[in-house]
Amino acid sequence: MATKSVDAAAVTTADETTRTEEDTEQVAEAAAGRDQERAAEEAPAQTTEETPEEAPEAAPEEAPAQDSGPSGVGQGAGAVVAAALGVVSLTGSWMGTVASARESLIGQLQTSSSSGVAKMIKEGYGDAWHANALWAGLFALSALVVGVIVLVRPAFGEPGRAQAPWIRSVAWAGVSLGVIGLLLAVLKYTDVLLGLPTTG
């Protein structure tokens, strides 16, 4: 009977020891779980606080590349102006017409009814004709100069930048018209072309 009591006491003690160990393990697991939860809660806060310090600086946006070279607009405008001046030198201009009328009026004022026919022709028509030729020559010379400047401009610009074909074509047209207009103006001014009539 005493043996059974001892065995029962030993079993009871073993059960209590087992329960104590289980309780200890549960407490340890619960403590470990709380520590993990606390660490998980603190980790985002630390990450948030460290983010501004560790965040790399944003790279500045690169400005779009711009072509700093000449666009050719000025050369195109110069070529068109040269061609227009050449056309004006051949067809006549408002300035030439006004200058011709002014010289004709001055000639009429400087002559009288007793003046000779040759003087009347020269003063009334010759000077007016010469004034018109002079203005035509000025326009032709302007066309020639502007056209040549446009043609030689690439030599002083950005190396390797070709001039547009249409600009060269229009500039050459202006130069050609300028040469023709200047030649005709010189011939008219010297009375070689359409000279004044002679009086017997």
Side-chain angles (χ1 to χ4, degrees):
M1 196 68 182
T3 303
K4 292 182 178 180
S5 299
V6 171
D7 293 339
V11 172
T12 303
T13 302
D15 293 340
E16 291 178 354
T17 302
T18 303
R19 286 197 297 271
T20 302
E21 292 177 354
E22 292 177 355
D23 293 340
T24 303
E25 292 178 357
Q26 292 177 357
V27 170
E29 291 177 358
R34 286 195 296 270
D35 292 340
Q36 291 179 357
E37 292 178 357
R38 188 180 301 108
E41 292 176 356
E42 293 177 356
Q46 294 177 356
T47 304
T48 306
E49 293 177 357
E50 294 177 357
T51 299
E53 298 178 358
E54 297 178 358
E57 296 181 358
E61 296 182 359
E62 296 182 357
Q66 296 180 355
D67 189 6
S68 58
S71 60
V73 175
Q75 297 180 26
V80 173
V81 169
L85 290 173
V87 172
V88 170
S89 68
L90 295 177
T91 59
S93 63
W94 176 80
M95 290 295 298
T97 303
V98 172
S100 177
R102 182 176 181 276
E103 290 297 331
S104 179
L105 179 60
I106 292 175
Q108 293 177 9
L109 294 175
Q110 291 178 351
T111 59
S112 60
S113 58
S114 59
S115 300
V117 177
K119 184 179 180 180
M120 292 179 63
I121 292 175
K122 179 181 180 304
E123 296 292 340
Y125 301 98
D127 293 344
W129 181 249
H130 291 164
N132 195 349
L134 180 62
W135 278 99
L138 291 177
F139 277 100
L141 182 61
S142 300
L144 180 60
V145 171
V146 174
V148 170
I149 291 175
V150 173
L151 290 175
V152 302
R153 175 64 179 83
F156 302 96
E158 182 180 354
R161 190 181 185 89
Q163 192 176 50
W166 73 269
I167 294 179
R168 296 185 63 84
S169 299
V170 177
W172 274 114
V175 170
S176 302
L177 293 174
V179 171
I180 296 173
L182 187 60
L183 178 61
L184 292 178
V186 171
L187 293 177
K188 288 190 295 183
Y189 192 83
T190 56
D191 294 333
V192 175
L193 180 65
L194 300 177
L196 295 175
T198 58
T199 58

